[in-house]
């Protein structure tokens, strides 16, 4: 964190694909508040679009800082499962933000996007059709997978089979609301060394980094775009109450 504090903000450039994804964020106007001359308004008073982009930039600053740490710390992207359970004409903002980060991250980001209980054709309808076309395109290293499941039981069965075939060191992170099935999913995730959280973007930056990455001494072999050798003991992520 001391190293991060000495770095300038935004040591990366968002790609055109990331800007295209950002256009899906809310454009609700900012709140009107009185502020002292010369001082920026607090984040909560900014527009939804500006707040979300600042959260994205905060995480990207962390990822790029650790990527450029000259071997002191080695990280790789955690394999992620993102769950959608509600049929809507708007893509959840956390899903959009995750795609922007993945398009701008120094790591290759393995992501599977799941729809559960909302129809097998859910991803074939706009805006999801256009969104999925981009995140599966391979541009900006976006190589997401997309899966549709008829029910929660079908999703749990798929995840259990998927994790049983995964390598033991591929501790996966699962994100999404699971009304009434939180314990089942958490136990299933922990069994393979991973974790489940209801949200992707917590307020605490270290908590965010724990959710998004895993430590490694062989980052290049496990998905970093550049080699990041290191020895690090990573604290287990906190279990969060919904």
């Amino acid at each position: 964190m001391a190293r991060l504090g000495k770095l300038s903000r935004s040591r990366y450039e968002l790609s055109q694909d990331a800007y295209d994804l950002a256009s899906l964020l809310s454009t609700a106007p900012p709140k009107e508040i009185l502020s002292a001359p010369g001082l920026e308004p607090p984040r909560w008073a900014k527009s939804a679009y500006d707040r979300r982009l600042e959260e994205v930039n905060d995480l990207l600053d962390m990822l790029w800082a650790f990527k450029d740490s000259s071997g002191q710390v080695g990280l790789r992207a955690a394999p992620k499962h993102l769950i959608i359970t509600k049929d809507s004409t708007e893509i959840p903002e956390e899903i959009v933000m995750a795609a922007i980060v993945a398009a701008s991250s120094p790591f290759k980001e393995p992501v599977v996007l799941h729809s559960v209980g909302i129809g097998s054709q859910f991803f074939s309808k706009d805006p999801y059709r256009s969104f999925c076309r981009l995140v599966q395109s391979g541009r900006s290293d976006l190589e997401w997978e997309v899966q549709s499941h008829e029910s929660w039981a079908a999703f749990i069965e798929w995840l259990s089979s998927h994790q049983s075939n995964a390598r033991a060191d591929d501790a996966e992170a699962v994100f999404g609301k699971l009304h009434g099935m939180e314990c089942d999913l958490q136990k299933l995730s922990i069994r393979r060394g991973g974790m489940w959280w209801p949200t992707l973007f917590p307020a605490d930056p270290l908590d965010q980094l724990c959710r998004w990455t895993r430590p490694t001494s062989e980052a290049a072999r496990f998905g970093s775009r550049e080699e990041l050798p290191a020895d690090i003991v990573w604290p287990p992520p906190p279990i969060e109450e919904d």
Side-chain angles (χ1 to χ4, degrees):
M1 292 303 293
R3 174 184 173 83
L4 184 63
K6 297 176 182 178
L7 298 177
S8 59
R9 289 295 305 267
S10 302
R11 304 179 68 243
Y12 48 85
E13 292 185 4
L14 295 183
S15 66
Q16 184 58 52
D17 294 320
Y19 279 116
D20 290 344
L21 290 164
S23 69
L24 297 171
L25 294 172
S26 171
T27 56
K31 297 180 180 180
E32 294 185 5
I33 64 166
L34 296 176
S35 58
L39 294 180
E40 288 190 8
R43 178 174 290 184
W44 60 263
K46 296 181 179 181
S47 70
Y49 180 87
D50 289 340
R51 290 199 309 272
R52 297 312 183 204
L53 279 188
E54 282 195 6
E55 291 177 37
V56 165
N57 286 329
D58 286 346
L59 177 54
L60 286 172
D61 284 340
M62 295 277 287
L63 296 177
W64 280 95
F66 279 97
K67 176 262 179 186
D68 291 333
S69 59
S70 302
Q72 297 177 28
V73 175
L75 298 178
R76 65 181 174 93
K80 301 171 189 66
H81 296 274
L82 314 182
I83 305 169
I84 299 174
T85 60
K86 293 182 180 180
D87 193 349
S88 173
T89 57
E90 295 183 355
I91 303 172
E93 290 195 335
E94 283 207 337
I95 301 293
V96 176
M97 293 164 65
I100 298 171
V101 172
S104 309
S105 171
F107 306 105
K108 291 182 179 179
E109 301 282 348
V111 179
V112 184
L113 181 62
H114 301 267
S115 69
V116 181
I118 46 181
S120 60
Q121 302 301 314
F122 177 72
F123 288 125
S124 65
K125 302 179 292 183
D126 278 329
Y128 284 96
R129 177 171 55 185
S130 300
F131 176 79
C132 290
R133 186 182 300 122
L134 176 52
V135 297
Q136 292 180 288
S137 68
R139 301 201 310 264
S140 300
D141 280 328
L142 290 168
E143 297 179 350
W144 290 22
E145 296 180 39
V146 174
Q147 297 282 343
S148 295
H149 309 274
E150 293 183 358
S151 63
W152 280 117
F155 169 69
I156 294 294
E157 182 179 356
W158 181 95
L159 187 62
S160 178
S161 175
H162 170 78
Q163 291 187 336
S164 66
N165 294 324
R167 293 186 312 211
D169 49 17
D170 271 346
E172 299 181 323
V174 182
F175 299 93
K177 302 288 185 179
L178 295 145
H179 299 293
M181 299 190 69
E182 291 87 351
C183 290
D184 292 336
L185 187 55
Q186 191 171 59
K187 290 177 182 178
L188 182 59
S189 300
I190 292 174
R191 190 181 305 162
R192 295 293 300 179
M195 278 299 297
W196 162 78
W197 290 277
T199 60
L200 276 125
F201 289 87
D204 182 76
L206 284 180
D207 189 2
Q208 176 70 84
L209 195 65
C210 286
R211 296 181 189 210
W212 202 266
T213 62
R214 295 290 180 266
T216 180
S217 59
E218 299 178 276
R221 182 162 67 89
F222 289 118
S224 173
R225 293 177 187 167
E226 296 183 23
E227 187 173 0
L228 294 171
D231 277 317
I232 177 174
V233 177
W234 201 247
I239 297 178
E240 183 177 282
E241 296 292 337
D242 190 3

